Amino acid sequence: METVPKLGNNVPPKKDKLQGKKKKPRRYWEEETTQTAAGASPGPPRKRKRNRELRPQKPKNTHSTKKSRISKKPQVPKKPRERRSPGPQRSLSGAQDPFTGPAPVPVEVVQKFCRIDKSKKLPRSETKIRSRLEAAEAQEEEISVKAARSELLLAEEPGFLEGEDGEDTAKICQADIVEAVDIASAAKHFDLNLRQFGPYRLNYSRTGRHLAFGGRRGHVAALDWVTKKLMCEINVMEAVRDIRFLHSEALLAVAQNRWLHIYDNQGIELHCIRRCDRITQLEFLPFHFLLATASETGFLTYLDVSVGKIVAALNARAGRLNIMTQNPYNAVIHLGHSNGTVSLWSPAMKEPLAKILCHRGGVRAVAVDSTGTHMATSGLDHQLKIFDLRGTFQPLSARTLPQGAGHLAFSQRGLLAAGMGDVVNIWAGQGKASPPSLEQPYLTHRLSGHVHGLQFCPFEDVLGVGHSGGITSMLVPGAAEPNFDGLESNPYRSRKQRQEWEVKALLEKVPAELICLDPRALAEVDVISLEQEEKERLERLVRSRPPRARAFLTPTSCPHHVLRSAVPCLGSLFQVSLLSPPSGLRSRHQASLPAKAKAEGPQLYSKSGEEEEEGHG
């Protein structure tokens, strides 16, 4: 409704206050309010002012009594919320996902990571123990499925070498391989001409990044062989028989002519261990921090490098020990002897765990693959044999070589290299867990000197060869694992990462007493030993009783599974036999004995009566 302006004033007519106000746009989150009677548009919700006048104000100086925290109203139990079943997942467009749940994993891939043998049934045990075993199996199966899924993230694939139109790969030389590969891989093939200090022994670090080698005339050096950066180079002025990296590339063990010496990566001598003298071979067990040494005197010595103490010194009683290797699967040391046998040793036992007759002559070289299932040996009879180490210790294949192999080495993927004079032959198999086929060599290479050391580089398709002319790095496609564990063996780790890894490895060190042939047996119960201990305990118990009561307790008459139930009943039997009268009242006591005791009773009592009469006489 508009007002009429007065005459004589040039003032425009004023609008009503309700119409004159500007409308504020309503947002979508604001609630709709009821329109007023005047038709006003809904505005933003007004803040409710607290009506302080209606609230009774408390006087400041008065002390109010505290109310009890326990409410006087009866508490009504809350109803549990009903969980709605999840419906089919829909995308942003509203379409239903046709592939619900996680993607399926092939069974073959899961079995590769599974560590539980499901063919063995769970033992009959208590419900609590059985539930724990079932939960452990379910957890192990879940872990194997996750590992199979994460295998898709491993981008690298193993290499291979194939000839054209059925060409023999053994005829392909190193120069042809270097021309065919990329520049970075071609730089991994090199020769070090060091004739004045040879022959050489070499060793790669666990990460595969560093190389150490020592010559018979005292030359010792360590370098980063990928970048060709020299770490240290010294001359010990003494014959070097073997060389090994310890748990990291910062420490180096050198078996010199007389004693064992420890150096750091700068070439500074840290220790001289005189208890280990005249050493011929060295092996380092990384998970146990043990340095195993074989000497001319026939002793196998285990040195704990974390505390600097000798754990065990075992006499092999087989003369000079110059052939030694380790099983990476169970950390058992394999020693080759001049009588054609190979003995397996653990620091927890003073006698060998097993002895295998391998050759009719002396053993020249021994090697074990990374899975611990196959062992390769060569002897003076010019035989190269592959043995199965899964309990049978039987030869799987054999081949006669024109020259006996003096050095053997297995790669991470199961390739076998053998050094025969100045020639290196490499045999390949069907896969990592399969034994190598000895029918036809995979690669062949001729060197400038006789071979004195072989080792495959971890995580690299490279074979390092130490010979009388120096060091040679060969390219062997498909030899190593293409993917590495960054938390365990990281070739690109920094100094800080290496220090943190050392602390973690020391905390997880495995005791030397746990080294055995089957590491899975540590989680099982030794039933045979348990029964034997129970039998010996019963025999001691029988021997401690008088002769009259021994006939009722013989270990042969009681089976092993009732030994525990028979022990509580022994007191009554002993009491009956000891309290028996000498002559007249025997029949009354025999009536209370078991049937078996009745049958054997008269003989025993007559004998005891004779003994008593002799004693009284």
Side-chain angles (χ1 to χ4, degrees):
M1 181 176 179
E2 295 180 358
T3 57
V4 180
K6 295 181 180 181
L7 298 175
N9 295 334
N10 297 328
V11 180
K14 293 182 179 180
K15 295 183 179 180
D16 193 3
K17 291 183 180 180
L18 296 175
Q19 294 183 1
K21 288 184 179 181
K22 204 171 185 179
K23 291 183 180 181
K24 189 175 182 180
R26 183 173 59 83
R27 307 298 181 184
Y28 66 90
W29 62 80
E30 295 175 355
E31 297 179 357
E32 295 182 357
T33 57
T34 57
Q35 294 183 357
T36 57
S41 62
R46 297 180 181 179
K47 296 181 181 179
R48 297 179 180 178
K49 295 182 180 180
R50 298 179 180 178
N51 193 358
R52 298 181 180 177
E53 298 177 357
L54 298 177
R55 293 184 181 181
Q57 295 182 358
K58 298 179 181 180
K60 294 182 180 180
N61 297 332
T62 58
H63 298 282
S64 61
T65 58
K66 294 183 179 180
K67 295 182 179 180
S68 63
R69 296 183 180 179
I70 302 174
S71 60
K72 297 181 181 179
K73 296 180 180 180
Q75 295 182 357
V76 181
K78 295 182 179 179
K79 296 181 180 181
R81 295 183 179 180
E82 298 180 357
R83 295 184 179 180
R84 298 179 180 179
S85 59
Q89 296 181 359
R90 295 181 178 275
S91 60
L92 294 176
S93 61
Q96 185 177 353
D97 187 7
F99 305 102
T100 58
V105 183
V107 181
E108 297 81 7
V109 183
V110 176
Q111 289 179 354
K112 185 172 67 173
F113 295 97
C114 187
R115 298 180 182 179
I116 291 181
D117 188 7
K118 293 187 177 181
S119 61
K120 296 181 180 180
K121 296 183 180 180
L122 292 176
R124 294 182 179 178
S125 57
E126 298 179 0
T127 308
K128 189 174 182 180
I129 299 176
R130 189 176 181 84
S131 62
R132 287 182 180 179
L133 293 175
E134 291 176 353
E137 281 193 359
Q139 185 179 7
E140 185 69 25
E141 187 175 357
E142 183 181 359
I143 290 173
S144 60
V145 171
K146 288 183 178 180
R149 291 184 186 281
S150 63
E151 193 180 17
L152 299 173
L153 303 176
L154 305 179
E156 300 293 336
E157 295 181 357
F160 58 90
L161 180 64
E162 293 181 357
E164 296 180 356
D165 300 331
E167 181 185 2
D168 188 7
T169 55
K171 296 180 181 179
I172 301 176
C173 60
Q174 289 291 309
D176 299 336
I177 298 176
V178 170
E179 291 180 0
V181 298
D182 57 314
I183 299 175
S185 300
K188 297 175 184 177
H189 171 68
F190 58 88
D191 287 309
L192 298 179
N193 188 6
L194 303 168
R195 279 188 187 277
Q196 64 273 24
F197 297 111
Y200 277 87
R201 299 275 298 175
L202 79 162
N203 179 244
Y204 287 98
S205 62
R206 286 192 65 208
T207 59
R209 188 64 185 261
H210 299 86
L211 171 66
F213 51 88
R216 187 64 61 85
R217 300 182 184 179
H219 182 215
V220 176
L223 74 154
D224 185 346
W225 69 273
V226 177
T227 60
K228 309 300 186 296
K229 181 181 179 181
L230 187 65
M231 296 169 58
C232 67
E233 185 177 11
I234 57 175
N235 197 316
V236 298
M237 305 299 293
E238 197 176 4
V240 175
R241 298 184 177 181
D242 204 357
I243 188 170
R244 278 292 182 277
F245 277 113
L246 297 186
H247 55 277
S248 68
E249 61 274 6
L251 293 175
L252 195 65
V254 180
Q256 298 179 197
N257 190 25
R258 194 172 181 183
W259 295 313
L260 175 65
H261 296 260
I262 308 295
Y263 298 90
D264 65 352
N265 55 1
Q266 302 298 324
I268 302 172
E269 183 179 352
L270 302 178
H271 305 284
C272 176
I273 304 168
R274 301 191 178 186
R275 290 188 62 183
C276 302
D277 58 336
R278 292 191 286 176
I279 296 171
T280 58
Q281 295 285 331
L282 291 174
E283 283 291 341
F284 183 72
L285 309 178
F287 299 105
H288 305 77
F289 282 79
L290 292 178
L291 180 65
T293 64
S295 64
E296 293 179 352
T297 57
F299 277 85
L300 173 63
T301 307
Y302 289 88
L303 174 66
D304 192 343
V305 299
S306 62
V307 295
K309 293 183 179 180
I310 292 180
V311 175
L314 310 176
N315 188 1
R317 299 183 184 89
R320 176 188 172 96
L321 301 177
N322 53 359
I323 294 131
M324 181 176 67
T325 189
Q326 66 164 312
N327 189 338
Y329 175 67
N330 52 16
V332 172
I333 295 295
H334 294 232
L335 296 177
H337 307 292
S338 58
N339 57 359
T341 62
V342 174
S343 57
L344 282 62
W345 293 85
S346 168
M349 302 287 292
K350 293 185 178 180
E351 297 296 329
L353 301 175
K355 279 188 178 182
I356 310 170
L357 180 59
C358 301
H359 298 276
R360 291 176 292 179
V363 180
R364 294 189 61 188
V366 181
V368 183
D369 67 341
S370 59
T371 60
T373 56
H374 302 107
M375 178 182 69
T377 62
S378 65
L380 293 175
D381 54 357
H382 292 192
Q383 289 282 328
L384 176 61
K385 295 183 180 181
I386 306 294
F387 286 86
D388 188 2
L389 295 179
R390 290 171 291 187
T392 59
F393 302 109
Q394 297 296 325
L396 300 176
S397 59
R399 178 185 175 88
T400 303
L401 302 175
Q403 296 179 1
H407 300 273
L408 298 173
F410 271 103
S411 73
Q412 289 180 324
R413 292 187 59 82
L415 272 67
L416 176 62
M420 302 169 291
D422 58 346
V423 178
V424 175
N425 283 358
I426 302 172
W427 289 275
Q430 299 296 328
K432 182 177 180 180
S434 62
S437 176
L438 302 179
E439 296 179 359
Q440 190 174 1
Y442 176 62
L443 278 177
T444 302
H445 184 64
R446 186 175 294 272
L447 303 167
S448 60
H450 287 269
V451 180
H452 282 266
L454 285 175
Q455 189 184 358
F456 281 94
C457 180
F459 310 110
E460 294 286 351
D461 291 341
V462 169
L463 172 64
V465 184
H467 49 87
S468 58
I471 302 293
T472 299
S473 179
M474 294 175 51
L475 296 181
V476 184
E481 284 288 341
N483 301 284
F484 58 87
D485 187 359
L487 298 177
E488 182 64 28
S489 301
N490 187 4
Y492 309 103
R493 65 187 179 189
S494 62
R495 183 179 179 182
K496 185 67 176 177
Q497 290 175 335
R498 175 176 59 82
Q499 293 174 352
E500 292 178 355
W501 173 86
E502 286 181 5
V503 174
K504 183 181 177 182
L506 284 170
L507 293 175
E508 296 176 352
K509 186 180 77 167
V510 182
E513 294 80 11
L514 300 182
I515 297 177
C516 57
L517 282 178
D518 188 7
R520 294 175 297 180
L522 298 174
E524 298 178 357
V525 178
D526 192 358
V527 182
I528 299 175
S529 301
L530 188 63
E531 291 180 352
Q532 183 68 22
E533 291 177 1
E534 196 74 18
K535 184 178 178 181
E536 292 176 357
R537 189 181 67 84
L538 185 63
E539 289 178 353
R540 290 194 301 268
L541 188 61
V542 170
R543 287 195 299 268
S544 64
R545 298 301 178 181
R548 301 177 185 177
R550 291 181 185 178
F552 299 104
L553 295 173
T554 55
T556 56
S557 62
C558 299
H560 297 302
H561 63 275
V562 297
L563 291 179
R564 289 186 179 273
S565 60
V567 171
C569 305
L570 301 181
S572 60
L573 296 178
F574 294 148
Q575 188 177 4
V576 169
S577 61
L578 291 175
L579 298 180
S580 58
S583 57
L585 301 176
R586 291 175 189 168
S587 59
R588 186 187 306 173
H589 288 276
Q590 287 180 4
S592 63
L593 293 176
K596 187 174 181 181
K598 288 181 181 180
E600 299 179 357
Q603 301 176 2
L604 291 172
Y605 290 128
S606 62
K607 186 177 180 181
S608 61
E610 293 173 3
E611 291 177 355
E612 289 180 355
E613 291 175 2
E614 292 176 3
H616 288 295

